[in-house]
Amino acid sequence: MPSASSSSDLTSIISQLEHNISSNSHQNSTSLLTRAKVALLHQNALVPSATVSPQHLAAAQHALELGALISIRLQDPATFTRYFQQLQAFYHLPAEQQPERSERSKITGLYLLLLLSQGDFAGFHTVLEGLEAAKGHERDGSGGRRTIEDDDFVQYPMRLEQWLMEGSYDRVWEETKSERVPSEEFAIFSDIVIGTIRDEVASCSEKTYGSIPVTNAKNLLFLSSEGAVVEFAQGRKWQVKDRRIYFPSLDDGASENDILARSGQVIENTLGYARELETIV
């Protein structure tokens, strides 16, 4: 039987973790999360079962959710993924065993955003299908069925995914910089998504053009200043001379027509880039 001391310890640890999140201070968060898991093991609550009390189930789920959110703030996607996977056993409990307080929507939305940042569109849709099925069994305050359209945390990555598939990278950029980013944790992953897009556009650009002006590259690559463009160019071993970026020459073994066909659609959808092509070359 779980001891009173382990329950008290867990309550104290959760309180400290909540304080760390609110103050955005995580020097001891990792050690606190380790202690929380040990306390949950003592309560036999790290994995849900019929013998675990509702109070301990709720505390275990909340502790794991805090771990997931802190992992995002520490920019540790691998640990976040492990927390997400651990939480699935709690999220799939019968409705009557679900705690009133839950971060399921936020954490699932963050996981969807992580999958986008990794380019895992198949995984994205697998998670989304499971979420749609789960939402179909939920009821809102008026007794109607809940849908994913009601969930801002899920709608955000869904919008980004749609625009990524369309190649509408300018809309992704605008969305990640708008007030519609659901929370601070989403902003962290949104920056990773933009980084992924930037790398893709950069790869297409260096395969398509001999050179472009630094001013055009700033808009094309979603960078805030020409200095940032120069820094990015240096990181990719591009030559910058006379306010112009010079890309490496095309691979002799590649067909230039094939490269243009592959890259044209990507570039034409970035910040109205099609309207700028005449001034770039």
Side-chain angles (χ1 to χ4, degrees), residues 209-217 226 229-230 233 238-247 277-281:
Y209 301 105
S211 68
I212 62 173
V214 170
T215 52
N216 294 74
E226 292 187 11
V229 174
V230 172
W238 295 342
Q239 183 181 7
V240 182
K241 183 180 179 181
D242 299 328
R243 297 176 59 81
R244 196 172 185 91
I245 292 174
Y246 292 87
F247 300 117
L277 290 180
E278 296 177 356
T279 66
I280 286 180
V281 181

Side-chain angles (χ1 to χ4, degrees), residues 101-121:
R101 179 180 183 179
S102 174
E103 299 281 4
R104 179 178 185 177
S105 289
K106 177 186 281 190
I107 288 171
T108 303
L110 286 165
Y111 186 66
L112 288 169
L113 196 55
L114 172 61
L115 293 174
L116 286 186
S117 74
Q118 297 172 337
D120 187 355
F121 293 99

Side-chain angles (χ1 to χ4, degrees), residues 153-179:
F153 291 123
V154 174
Q155 281 296 300
Y156 178 75
M158 285 180 64
R159 288 194 298 270
L160 296 188
E161 189 267 347
Q162 178 182 345
W163 294 330
L164 284 171
M165 295 299 289
E166 294 173 355
S168 301
Y169 295 153
D170 55 327
R171 298 187 72 178
V172 175
W173 167 257
E174 291 167 0
E175 184 78 358
T176 60
K177 300 304 175 186
S178 75
E179 295 179 354

Side-chain angles (χ1 to χ4, degrees), residues 10-35:
L10 183 60
T11 300
S12 175
I13 293 168
I14 287 175
S15 178
Q16 292 178 68
L17 289 170
E18 290 173 334
H19 173 74
N20 286 2
I21 287 182
S22 63
S23 62
N24 200 24
S25 175
H26 298 292
Q27 290 90 339
N28 66 339
S29 290
T30 301
S31 60
L32 285 172
L33 288 167
T34 299
R35 288 173 54 196

Side-chain angles (χ1 to χ4, degrees), residues 90-214:
F90 292 86
Y91 292 158
H92 289 88
L93 289 171
E96 60 272 14
Q97 292 181 260
Q98 295 282 343
E100 292 184 7
R101 179 180 183 179
S102 174
E103 299 281 4
R104 179 178 185 177
S105 289
K106 177 186 281 190
I107 288 171
T108 303
L110 286 165
Y111 186 66
L112 288 169
L113 196 55
L114 172 61
L115 293 174
L116 286 186
S117 74
Q118 297 172 337
D120 187 355
F121 293 99
F124 181 95
H125 284 283
T126 298
V127 173
L128 200 59
E129 288 169 6
L131 190 61
E132 286 176 331
K135 287 286 185 183
H137 296 290
E138 294 181 7
R139 298 285 180 174
D140 58 25
S142 61
R145 290 189 181 276
R146 292 185 183 275
T147 68
I148 56 175
E149 284 74 20
D150 303 320
D151 193 327
D152 291 338
F153 291 123
V154 174
Q155 281 296 300
Y156 178 75
M158 285 180 64
R159 288 194 298 270
L160 296 188
E161 189 267 347
Q162 178 182 345
W163 294 330
L164 284 171
M165 295 299 289
E166 294 173 355
S168 301
Y169 295 153
D170 55 327
R171 298 187 72 178
V172 175
W173 167 257
E174 291 167 0
E175 184 78 358
T176 60
K177 300 304 175 186
S178 75
E179 295 179 354
R180 291 201 287 180
V181 178
S183 72
E184 181 180 345
E185 294 88 1
F186 280 82
I188 293 171
F189 269 164
S190 296
D191 288 341
I192 297 174
V193 172
I194 292 300
T196 301
I197 293 172
R198 185 177 292 126
D199 287 339
E200 182 175 355
V201 173
S203 295
C204 291
S205 298
E206 63 187 4
K207 292 174 182 177
T208 306
Y209 301 105
S211 68
I212 62 173
V214 170

